Amino acid sequence: MSSGNFHGPYLRLQDFVAYSDRYILLTSTTHSVQALARLLRYAKGYRRRILAATACSIINKLFDIAPEILIGVAIDVVVNKEDSFVARLNFTTPEEQILVLAILTFFIWVGESLFEYLYKILWRNLAQRLQADLRQDTYEHVQQLDMSFFESKSSGHLVAIMNDDVNQLERFLDGGANALIQVGVAVIAVGAVFFILSPLIALLAFTPVPLIIWGAFFFQRKAGPLYNDVREKVGDLASRLGNNLSGIATIKSFTAEAREAERLKAVSETYVEANRRAIRVSSAFIPVIRMAILVGFLATFTIGGMMALQGSLNVGAYGVLVFLTQRLLWPLTGLAEVIDLFERAMASTRRILDLLEVTVEVQDVSNRSLATPVRGEVHFQGVSFRYASSGAGVENINLSVPGGSTLALVGATGSGKSTLIKLLLRFYDPHEGQVCIDGQPVREISLYSLRQAIGLVSQEVYLFEGSIRNNIAYGRPDADEESIIKAAITAEAWNFIHALPQGLDTPVGERGVRLSGGQRQRLSLARALIKNPPILVLDEATSAVDNETEAAIQRSLQRIGHDRTVIMIAHRLSTIVYADRIVVIHQGRVIEHGTHAELLEANGRYAAQWRVQTGLAKAEDTLLG
C-alpha cells in the first residue's frame, strides 16, 4: 500500500476535508467574482465615477509609498554627497539635493492628501448614490411583482434585502473597495521597487506574502461560520425583543415580567457566547500575521545590511528596502477583514440582483383605458384559477354584475370568494376564461386604469402612519378639504373625526394603532370613496366591527350603492339582505344564486346559514361555515 494521500481507491478523511475546503473557497470566490460582474453591469451608468475613484485610490497609494523612497534617497545624499543619485540630475551640492528632496516631499504629501480627499469623496458619494438607486429600483420592482410572490415571501425577508443587504454593499464601497485596490497597488508597486534594487532581497521580502494571504483566507474560513452564528443569534435576540415589546400588554396581564426577563437573558447570553467564540478566532489573526511580517522584515534588515556592509548594495537602497518592507507587508494584515467585507457585500449583491430579476407574471401590456363613462358592468366568463401552492381556487365561474347593482358573495372560508376579487383587480390572471368590465377584458386594460376604477375596502385595514387627513386623501392625493370631509361623512366617519381635538390632523399612529377597529374601517371606506370609483369592492368589511359600526357602514353602503356597482364578500348575512343578487360559492363553484328571499325559499345552504345566524338552528347544522 502506498503511504501517500490515497490508499487504493479511498480518500483519507483529512484529505477529503482539505480538498473540500479548497473547493468551498474556490466556489465562494467564483460566486463573488460573478456577483461583482453583475454589479458592474447594473452600475454601467457609474463607470466613469468608478474609474475616477479607482484612479484616485491608485495615485494616493503611489504617493503614500513615495516618502519611504525619498528617505532612502536622502540617506544616499548624506552618505555619497556629490556622487549620489540626485547629483546625476545636475544638483551638485548636497545642500541643493536636500532642498530638492524637501520640496519634492512637500508636493508628494500635498498630492497624497489631495488624492485621499478625492478618493474618499468619490467612493463615499458613489456608495451613497448606488445604494440609494439600488434600494429605489428594488422597491419599485417589488411593487410590480405579483401577489403570489408576496404570499411566498415574508416582509422581513424583503426588508432585509432592501435595507440590510443594500447597507452591506454600501459599507464595502465606502471603505473596502479602496482598501482592496490599495493593497494590490502596494504589492505591485513596492514589489517593482524591490526587484529593481535587489532581486535577492525582493525574493526574501516576498516569502511571507503567500503565508499572509493563505492566513487571511484561512482565518476568514474559520471565522465566517462563527460570525454567521453571531448574526443568527443577534437576529434571535432582536426577534425576542420585538415580540416582547409588541406583546407587552399580554406580559403585564399575566404578570410574566420576571419570566420574560429570564428568557431574554438566556437568548442574550447565547449571543454573548457566540461572539466570544468568533472573537477568539479573529483576535488570533493579527499576532500570527505579525510574526510572518517579522520574518520578512528580519530577512530584509539582516541580509540587506550585510550586503550594504560588503558594498554590494547602496546604503540608500538599503534604507529604501527596510522602510518599504513594512509598507509592503503590513497592509496585508487587513486583508482578511477586507476579503470578509467583500464576500459579505457580494453575497448581499447576489440577493439584491436576484430580487431585481424576479419575473413579473401579471404584465401591464396595454396602454388602453376603460371607456368613459365607466358603467361598472362586471362579467366573469368561464373563469378558472388554481393557486400553485394549495390547489384551491375557482372553477368555471360565470357571473354577470349589471352596472349600478349590488352583488354579494357568500361561502365558507377558502371557497374562492376573495379569489374572484383578486382576479378582478388583476392581482392574478385566470388560467381559463376572462374577466371583463363594460365588455373590455381586464387583460387589455392598463393596470392603472383598471385599479383606478375599483375602490377596495378589505377586512384587514392598513392605515399609513400620518394624519387622518392624509389617510383619507391617499385615495386621491389632490383632494381638497371639502372632498375629504364629504367622503368622511358618507363613510359615517365624520362624527368621530370632528370630536377629536385635532380633527383631520389627528395622527393615527403606526398601522392606525391609535384608532379603534371600527374607526379604522370607516376611514378605509372613506379612502375608497374619495376615489369615487364606479366599482366598490368590500371584502369582509364589517366582519371585525361592533354592531353600531356595522349599522353605520350599512347606512353608508345603502347611500352610495345607488350610483355604483358594489361587490360584497360577507359572512354576516344580515349585512347583505338588501343586495340585488346573492351568490353562494362552495369549493370554487357557484351552487346557489338569487335574492335573499329567493334563497330562503330555496332552503339550501344559504337558508341553513341564515337560520344559524338568526338563532333558529345550531351551527353544526349548516354547511356554509
Side-chain angles (χ1 to χ4, degrees):
M1 288 288 182
S2 169
S3 60
N5 288 339
F6 294 93
H7 294 277
Y10 300 105
L11 181 65
R12 293 189 310 176
L13 177 61
Q14 58 264 42
D15 296 321
F16 175 77
V17 171
Y19 295 145
S20 297
D21 281 351
R22 291 174 201 149
Y23 174 76
I24 292 170
L25 180 59
L26 180 61
T27 303
S28 174
T29 303
T30 302
H31 288 169
S32 295
V33 171
Q34 291 172 345
L36 179 60
R38 292 174 66 190
L39 178 63
L40 290 174
R41 285 196 297 271
Y42 170 83
K44 60 183 178 182
Y46 297 96
R47 284 179 184 171
R48 289 187 179 181
R49 297 190 199 183
I50 295 172
L51 290 174
T54 302
C56 288
S57 294
I58 292 172
I59 295 171
N60 169 261
K61 187 45 122 182
L62 294 177
F63 275 129
D64 183 49
I65 294 169
E68 276 75 8
I69 298 175
L70 291 181
I71 291 173
V73 175
I75 294 173
D76 180 51
V77 169
V78 172
V79 173
N80 295 314
K81 299 178 182 179
E82 288 81 2
D83 296 326
S84 69
F85 170 77
V86 181
R88 301 174 198 170
L89 304 176
N90 295 324
F91 299 100
T92 54
T93 67
E95 292 77 11
E96 286 181 341
Q97 297 172 29
I98 292 295
L99 184 59
V100 167
L101 291 178
I103 294 171
L104 191 56
T105 299
F106 172 80
F107 283 108
I108 286 174
W109 278 66
V110 169
E112 180 186 357
S113 301
L114 173 63
F115 282 97
E116 181 175 359
Y117 169 78
L118 291 176
Y119 83 64
K120 284 183 176 178
I121 287 288
L122 288 169
W123 280 119
R124 289 176 179 177
N125 284 339
L126 176 65
Q128 293 301 314
R129 187 69 266 155
L130 191 57
Q131 64 92 13
D133 287 351
L134 263 176
R135 184 178 289 111
Q136 187 69 27
D137 288 348
T138 305
Y139 174 74
E140 289 181 6
H141 179 70
V142 166
Q143 282 193 131
Q144 307 304 317
L145 294 177
D146 312 309
M147 291 304 296
S148 59
F149 174 83
F150 294 98
E151 290 168 1
S152 63
K153 299 287 184 182
S154 69
S155 59
H157 172 79
L158 298 176
V159 170
I161 292 176
M162 289 185 278
N163 190 49
D164 296 343
D165 282 334
V166 170
N167 288 341
Q168 187 70 53
L169 177 59
E170 178 197 356
R171 282 191 287 274
F172 172 70
L173 293 174
D174 197 42
N178 171 73
L180 203 58
I181 291 168
Q182 291 202 334
V183 166
V185 171
V187 171
I188 294 171
V190 173
V193 173
F194 265 64
F195 278 100
I196 290 171
L197 295 178
S198 173
L200 174 61
I201 294 181
L203 185 62
L204 294 173
F206 270 81
T207 299
V209 171
L211 176 62
I212 294 171
I213 294 175
W214 174 84
F217 282 103
F218 174 80
F219 275 93
Q220 186 225 344
R221 192 165 63 250
K222 293 296 183 183
L226 296 177
Y227 276 112
N228 285 336
D229 187 44
V230 169
R231 287 192 288 274
E232 287 183 12
K233 296 300 186 291
V234 77
D236 294 342
L237 183 58
S239 177
R240 170 61 59 190
L241 282 168
N243 288 337
N244 282 15
L245 291 174
S246 298
I248 193 68
T250 303
I251 292 173
K252 285 179 176 293
S253 68
F254 284 90
T255 62
E257 292 91 341
R259 189 193 327 160
E260 290 301 329
E262 283 300 316
R263 292 174 67 182
L264 179 64
K265 183 178 180 181
V267 177
S268 182
E269 287 300 320
T270 304
Y271 167 61
V272 170
E273 180 57 34
N275 249 320
R276 187 181 291 118
R277 290 193 297 269
I279 291 169
R280 189 182 303 122
V281 172
S282 62
S283 297
F285 174 67
I286 296 298
V288 170
I289 298 305
R290 190 189 296 273
M291 299 310 296
I293 292 173
L294 178 63
V295 172
F297 179 78
L298 287 177
T300 303
F301 184 82
T302 306
I303 305 300
M306 295 297 181
M307 293 174 65
L309 289 173
Q310 295 169 3
S312 59
L313 180 66
N314 183 283
V315 175
Y318 173 61
V320 170
L321 293 175
V322 169
F323 285 116
L324 283 183
T325 300
Q326 281 196 324
R327 182 67 72 179
L328 167 68
L329 300 177
W330 186 250
L332 295 175
T333 60
L335 192 59
E337 184 178 350
V338 174
I339 290 173
D340 182 58
L341 196 59
F342 173 73
E343 291 286 353
R344 293 188 194 188
M346 292 305 102
S348 294
T349 297
R350 284 195 297 274
R351 287 191 287 270
I352 297 166
L353 296 181
D354 285 347
L355 181 55
L356 274 172
E357 291 172 4
V358 174
T359 304
V360 179
E361 298 294 337
V362 178
Q363 294 285 344
D364 193 1
V365 296
S366 175
N367 293 322
R368 293 177 58 187
S369 299
L370 277 167
T372 55
V374 180
R375 300 187 302 277
E377 297 173 359
V378 178
H379 300 276
F380 293 88
Q381 301 173 350
V383 169
S384 296
F385 174 82
R386 293 288 174 185
Y387 296 100
S389 58
S390 64
V394 293
E395 188 72 28
N396 195 29
I397 297 292
N398 289 283
L399 283 176
S400 293
V401 187
S405 66
T406 298
L407 170 72
L409 301 174
V410 298
T413 300
S415 60
K417 306 182 300 297
S418 294
T419 299
L420 293 178
I421 302 304
K422 293 175 182 178
L423 294 174
L424 174 62
L425 284 159
R426 275 204 81 200
F427 290 163
Y428 298 92
D429 281 330
H431 298 154
E432 296 178 15
Q434 62 181 1
V435 183
C436 298
I437 295 178
D438 292 351
Q440 292 181 258
V442 295
R443 289 189 189 218
E444 299 176 7
I445 305 168
S446 73
L447 289 175
Y448 178 83
S449 178
L450 170 66
R451 292 170 185 171
Q452 278 295 107
I454 302 172
L456 174 65
V457 182
S458 61
Q459 176 181 1
E460 297 180 3
V461 177
Y462 187 93
L463 296 182
F464 296 91
E465 190 167 6
S467 67
I468 289 176
R469 181 194 308 276
N470 292 339
N471 272 279
I472 294 177
Y474 193 82
R476 201 177 86 214
D478 60 346
D480 56 25
E481 183 154 339
E482 182 181 355
S483 300
I484 293 172
I485 294 174
K486 183 179 178 182
I489 292 172
T490 307
E492 296 272 353
W494 179 245
N495 286 341
F496 87 79
I497 295 173
H498 187 63
L500 294 170
Q502 294 175 263
L504 286 170
D505 296 316
T506 302
V508 302
E510 186 178 3
R511 300 180 67 92
V513 69
R514 297 184 183 179
L515 303 177
S516 70
Q519 290 171 336
R520 291 197 296 269
Q521 195 67 264
R522 291 186 229 185
L523 289 186
S524 177
L525 182 57
R527 181 170 61 188
L529 292 176
I530 202 169
K531 289 173 63 176
N532 193 27
I535 302 171
L536 181 63
V537 175
L538 305 171
D539 189 355
E540 299 283 3
T542 61
S543 64
V545 299
D546 54 46
N547 291 334
E548 181 182 350
T549 302
E550 179 186 342
I553 292 176
Q554 289 307 310
R555 290 194 299 269
S556 302
L557 295 177
Q558 288 175 14
R559 286 198 301 272
I560 64 179
H562 298 299
D563 302 324
R564 71 191 82 239
T565 302
V566 178
I567 300 177
M568 303 175 61
I569 294 176
H571 276 115
R572 293 186 186 180
L573 303 186
S574 60
T575 63
I576 60 169
V577 293
Y578 66 89
D580 298 308
R581 190 181 183 201
I582 299 171
V583 172
V584 180
I585 299 179
H586 179 66
Q587 295 182 353
R589 294 179 179 272
V590 175
I591 60 169
E592 290 182 322
H593 62 86
T595 64
H596 173 70
E598 290 170 347
L599 290 173
L600 288 182
E601 187 177 349
N603 199 30
R605 292 177 183 270
Y606 181 87
Q609 181 68 12
W610 174 260
R611 288 194 294 271
V612 169
Q613 293 192 7
T614 55
L616 300 177
K618 295 180 180 180
E620 57 266 26
D621 294 335
T622 184
L623 298 175
L624 265 179

